[in-house]
Amino acid sequence: SLVGVKGMTIMAKMSELKNVVSMALKTNKLGDEGVKIMTESNTFRHLEFLSLWDNGISATGAKMLARGANFNNLKELNLFKNNLGNEGVILIVDSANAMHLTSLDLGGNKISDEGAIAIANSPYLSKLKKLDLFDNKIGPKGVEALLKSQTLISLEELDIVKNNIDTESAAQLGESASLPKLKTFMAF
């Protein structure tokens, strides 16, 4: 069933949910308003895993995720298939709320080189083990930034399938010494 903004308003007031650490709300039409409700509620203070896959969240919602006290314990964040764009991604990865993330899914968010460079340069992503950038618009400059990242040293899994990356750039990334723990690399 669809949660939507109305359902999130109800959930945000439920004391029974105050100890929830994992929440998956795939395709629920929450939008930025639903994120705002989550941010303003005392109910969701313990979240460690949050999946908001395909909820129509824009950079406005990303700003709330980046600044919201309810999201500072997140270890896994799935924002696949939203409308974050580079602006939203930059807000998230340049936030102290990202410092505990071990898994980040930003697939299908219209991210270009600018967003990939922000990810690569974020001082908060040193614990990140899994990064999903599937189905974006990242090109060779973004790949190069990821290659040379001094932050993504814990990265074990990287998905850059369906981007604007040529074979040579993908091969360089797969061989990169900058990502010493990389075990799984998906590029095509």
Side-chain angles (χ1 to χ4, degrees):
S1 69
L2 187 67
V3 172
V5 173
K6 189 175 185 179
M8 181 50 66
T9 303
I10 293 166
M11 289 173 65
K13 296 174 184 174
M14 295 176 66
S15 62
E16 297 87 355
L17 298 178
K18 70 179 179 180
N19 293 316
V20 168
V21 295
S22 179
M23 185 175 292
L25 296 163
K26 179 180 176 184
T27 316
N28 274 281
K29 296 187 179 182
L30 295 176
D32 298 332
E33 185 63 27
V35 174
K36 180 179 180 188
I37 293 164
M38 290 180 75
T39 302
E40 294 173 348
S41 169
N42 290 326
T43 303
F44 306 113
R45 292 196 181 269
H46 301 288
L47 286 177
E48 294 178 11
F49 170 85
L50 179 60
S51 178
L52 296 174
W53 173 323
D54 190 20
N55 272 285
I57 299 166
S58 73
T60 301
K63 187 175 189 177
M64 289 180 252
L65 286 169
R67 294 183 178 172
N70 289 349
F71 309 116
N72 63 2
N73 293 316
L74 286 179
K75 294 178 181 163
E76 297 184 42
L77 179 59
N78 185 331
L79 293 169
F80 180 78
K81 201 176 176 187
N82 279 287
N83 301 307
L84 303 179
N86 291 323
E87 181 184 358
V89 168
I90 291 167
L91 287 164
I92 289 168
V93 303
D94 282 348
S95 164
N97 279 356
M99 80 166 99
H100 300 294
L101 288 177
T102 59
S103 178
L104 180 59
D105 188 337
L106 297 170
N109 273 288
K110 301 177 183 119
I111 303 166
S112 69
D113 288 340
E114 181 184 359
I117 291 166
I119 292 166
N121 293 331
S122 170
Y124 300 108
L125 297 178
S126 63
K127 296 179 182 177
L128 198 64
K129 293 181 179 182
K130 181 180 178 187
L131 177 59
D132 191 333
L133 297 171
F134 173 82
D135 194 20
N136 279 294
K137 300 175 181 181
I138 301 167
K141 286 183 183 178
V143 171
E144 183 178 359
L146 293 168
L147 271 171
K148 295 180 179 178
S149 174
Q150 298 299 306
T151 304
L152 301 176
I153 56 171
S154 298
L155 201 63
E156 296 176 4
E157 184 176 330
L158 177 61
D159 183 344
I160 55 170
V161 173
K162 286 186 73 176
N163 276 279
N164 298 330
I165 301 168
D166 59 33
T167 307
E168 184 179 328
S169 296
Q172 286 177 342
L173 185 54
E175 297 170 2
S176 173
S178 297
L179 303 174
K181 295 185 179 182
L182 191 66
K183 296 175 185 171
T184 305
F185 174 59
M186 295 167 277
F188 300 103

